[in-house]
Amino acid sequence: METPSSQPKRRGRPKGSSAKSKDEREKEPHSSGKMRGSASKRAAAVDEEYVQWKSLVAVLYDWFANHNLIWPSLSCRWGPVVELGRYKNRQRLYLSEQTDKSVPNTLIIANCDVVKPRVAAENHIANFNEEARSPFVRKYKTIIHPGEVNRIRELPQNKNIVATHTDGPEVLIWDIEAQPNKHAVYGAAASRPDLVLSGHQDNAEFALALSPMEPFVLSGGKDKTVVLWSIQDHISTLAANAPKSAGSGGSIIKSADNPSIGPRGIFHGHADTVEDVQFCPSSSQEFCSVGDDSCLILWDARVGNNPAVKVEKAHDSDLHCVDWNPHNDNLIITGSADNSVRLFDRRNLTSDGVGSPVHMFEHHTAAVLCVQWCPDRSSVFGSCAEDGLLNIWDYEKVGAAKDSDIESDEDEEESPPGLFFQHAGHRDKIVDFHWNACDPWTIVSVSDDAETSGGGGTLQIWRMIDMLYRPKDEVLAEMQHFKDHVGKCTPKSKG
């Protein structure tokens, strides 16, 4: 697999800034002069905000785990549940390690113990060590990746199968259970992917999606195209030449001497790099894409390779991310370098080619890098950005009347319509996050801590307290029940 000589665009880390482990940056001499002063001021401001957030952890979260990463990770994804327990479940977690080449870049498969709701003790949630590795996250297997891992996506039909994007034109497919465990030491040979998807003519680094309907793969890249594959095409090419095999754990990936397939379709319509893609939840033939040309494009492979609908100016800058609502096929969210998230209804996307969003969500102060709908509530989604914040929004709350007796005018200015939770536990840009479909309202998020700490990253697994998202009447009834219980248990003073 050859990589084109053109330099890849780095969203998570500016190109030219080498990755450093947290151990390495602690040994480096401090810089002097004006740069050190400005960096110190920024670090002090970040630390002050972090201390304020940490003081509220026990109040805001039902469960929280902080895991210090030696190397930064640009992607994090939940895998399958592998063990059920009384108080916690064990689940696979997919991460990456972006190194400085002193050791290989890797795809990490970890076991994560996900604590069940209303189990974690308050003092345990509050008293975590931000400089240590969490006991809830343990490495299970290491795959030596041929190049940096920019994006990881799991196959919905079999979450042991994952796809990765690197700094090259191909998409790599991995059967996690079949891959041998490797030691990431200098000079170690790269692991061999189970399948290679070819079709791009230039680097394809970030735009990657897998269909919930069929084992279809979607990608976008610097060649300005969107490319569609079916993993089933690999199986059909082997059928005449290889005996049937159960594979590894029912894997749909079967071995071959030359594990590579071409695309089912290449779609042209963008004028610049395609930054993200997403399938329609109810169709493997319909999908959307966004790019650095500020366009949102809807495609339908059944009618051809040209855009079905093209929104010429969906945002005021590059678009970084897109997601399609799994509960409502009409709703799509996008995130941009203009710091905003926009909600579109595909029945009314444009007005003379210019984006016509249902609503604009503006509370980030830097470029939005990832957006994703909540799998547990149709109106809720999250967005993370280079400002180090992960915002949770509910579009049904937009325009809802606020109780003037509870919130002041100042509160209304600070909290825009729709924003009902803000995760502020990261001290640097949050490059990725993922809702856990197997454990309601549980999120994993990862930050690249290069600017604030000089290297490494932070992985956090968290679940907000359920009183924040449950129906108001239900929460008030529970609080009243608790108040009555406390009243019964409190000794009455004798007159």
Side-chain angles (χ1 to χ4, degrees):
M1 295 176 293
E2 296 183 359
T3 302
S5 58
S6 57
Q7 293 293 334
K9 180 176 181 178
R10 176 68 59 238
R11 292 186 303 173
R13 177 186 297 279
K15 195 64 183 177
S17 62
S18 61
K20 299 176 183 177
S21 71
K22 288 192 174 179
D23 292 338
E24 286 179 317
R25 53 93 176 168
E26 288 174 355
K27 297 177 183 177
E28 289 185 341
H30 294 290
S31 58
S32 58
K34 186 176 180 180
M35 289 183 66
R36 184 175 66 181
S38 60
S40 298
K41 288 181 180 179
R42 170 174 165 76
V46 170
D47 286 342
E48 183 179 350
E49 293 174 0
Y50 178 80
V51 169
Q52 182 180 7
W53 166 82
K54 192 174 180 181
S55 68
L56 299 172
V57 168
V59 178
L60 297 176
Y61 297 84
D62 176 69
W63 180 54
F64 179 84
N66 188 93
H67 188 72
N68 183 275
L69 299 172
I70 296 176
W71 299 104
S73 176
L74 293 184
S75 193
C76 58
R77 300 292 290 187
W78 291 106
V81 175
V82 294
E83 184 180 334
L84 298 176
R86 183 177 180 183
Y87 298 111
K88 57 188 178 182
N89 296 329
R90 181 159 294 175
Q91 188 170 356
R92 295 278 194 259
L93 188 62
Y94 302 131
L95 305 166
S96 64
E97 288 182 323
Q98 184 190 23
T99 72
D100 63 353
K101 307 301 190 294
S102 62
V103 292
N105 292 289
T106 60
L107 173 62
I108 299 296
I109 299 92
N111 283 331
C112 178
D113 290 335
V114 181
V115 176
K116 293 185 176 182
R118 301 201 172 194
V119 168
E122 178 182 329
N123 62 340
H124 173 77
I125 297 172
N127 298 320
F128 63 90
N129 184 352
E130 58 260 38
E131 298 299 327
R133 299 187 190 183
S134 171
F136 294 99
V137 180
R138 293 183 176 88
K139 188 179 292 186
Y140 166 71
K141 183 179 285 189
T142 299
I143 294 172
I144 298 180
H145 200 271
E148 297 178 352
V149 184
N150 297 329
R151 186 64 57 89
I152 306 167
R153 289 293 181 264
E154 73 288 352
L155 186 67
Q157 294 81 20
N158 182 345
K159 292 189 177 182
N160 287 321
I161 306 297
V162 301
T164 58
H165 255 328
T166 186
D167 295 336
E170 298 92 356
V171 177
L172 307 181
I173 306 295
W174 307 88
D175 182 340
I176 295 304
E177 294 302 318
Q179 283 287 330
N181 187 30
K182 297 248 185 172
H183 296 289
V185 296
Y186 181 76
S191 301
R192 183 180 182 225
D194 293 276
L195 187 61
V196 176
L197 310 184
S198 60
H200 280 293
Q201 301 303 310
D202 203 340
N203 288 352
E205 299 163 347
F206 293 104
L208 184 63
L210 281 76
S211 171
M213 299 298 293
E214 298 181 70
F216 280 26
V217 181
L218 197 64
S219 170
K222 293 188 67 167
D223 58 5
K224 308 172 189 177
T225 67
V226 175
V227 184
L228 176 69
W229 297 268
S230 171
I231 295 178
Q232 290 174 324
D233 290 346
H234 172 60
I235 299 173
S236 63
T237 59
L238 291 175
N241 302 317
K244 289 188 177 181
S245 170
S248 166
S251 171
I252 63 170
I253 304 296
K254 297 179 175 63
S255 62
D257 293 332
N258 185 24
S260 178
I261 58 170
R264 284 203 171 185
I266 300 178
F267 301 82
H268 300 270
H270 282 284
D272 207 334
T273 300
V274 180
E275 291 282 6
D276 201 9
V277 290
Q278 190 57 257
F279 280 98
C280 175
S282 62
S283 172
S284 58
Q285 302 295 322
E286 296 178 83
F287 38 89
C288 62
S289 59
V290 296
D292 291 342
D293 55 3
S294 301
C295 291
L296 164 66
I297 298 180
L298 271 62
W299 312 84
D300 189 338
R302 297 167 299 187
V303 297
N305 292 16
N306 295 318
V309 179
K310 186 172 183 178
V311 183
E312 294 285 355
K313 192 175 182 182
H315 281 258
D316 298 326
S317 187
D318 299 357
L319 272 76
H320 286 160
C321 46
V322 63
D323 198 26
W324 208 315
N325 193 317
H327 309 279
N328 185 339
D329 285 357
N330 292 316
L331 299 181
I332 297 171
I333 47 173
T334 56
S336 168
D338 66 10
N339 307 348
S340 76
V341 177
R342 299 190 180 184
L343 172 65
F344 291 92
D345 187 323
R346 71 166 170 171
R347 295 166 296 188
N348 184 29
L349 280 172
T350 68
S351 176
D352 297 325
V354 177
S356 180
V358 176
H359 189 75
M360 293 187 291
F361 300 86
E362 299 176 306
H363 197 58
H364 285 293
T365 58
V368 178
L369 298 180
C370 180
V371 291
Q372 191 191 9
W373 290 99
C374 173
D376 304 297
R377 185 167 298 175
S378 61
S379 60
V380 172
F381 63 89
S383 63
C384 69
E386 290 183 349
D387 58 11
L389 297 173
L390 202 167
N391 291 333
I392 306 297
W393 308 85
D394 186 344
Y395 74 78
E396 287 187 347
K397 296 183 182 296
V398 174
K402 294 188 176 182
D403 190 337
S404 59
D405 294 331
I406 298 177
E407 296 188 285
S408 65
D409 292 339
E410 182 179 353
D411 291 330
E412 291 183 7
E413 288 181 8
E414 292 180 356
S415 298
L419 180 67
F420 78 94
F421 189 82
Q422 188 171 73
H423 178 63
H426 292 279
R427 303 199 218 189
D428 213 325
K429 53 183 172 290
I430 303 176
V431 292
D432 200 12
F433 76 96
H434 191 205
W435 295 88
N436 191 338
C438 300
D439 196 275
W441 294 89
T442 301
I443 291 176
V444 59
S445 52
V446 66
S447 59
D448 180 349
D449 300 341
E451 293 184 10
T452 53
S453 63
T458 302
L459 173 79
Q460 294 182 342
I461 307 162
W462 50 277
R463 181 172 54 238
M464 71 181 80
I465 189 169
D466 61 14
M467 289 188 176
L468 295 175
Y469 57 80
R470 285 165 51 205
K472 183 178 179 181
D473 292 344
E474 185 179 310
V475 171
L476 291 176
E478 180 179 337
M479 294 176 68
Q480 184 62 48
H481 178 75
F482 179 74
K483 180 181 177 182
D484 295 341
H485 175 73
V486 172
K488 292 178 182 178
C489 296
T490 304
K492 295 182 179 179
S493 59
K494 297 181 179 180

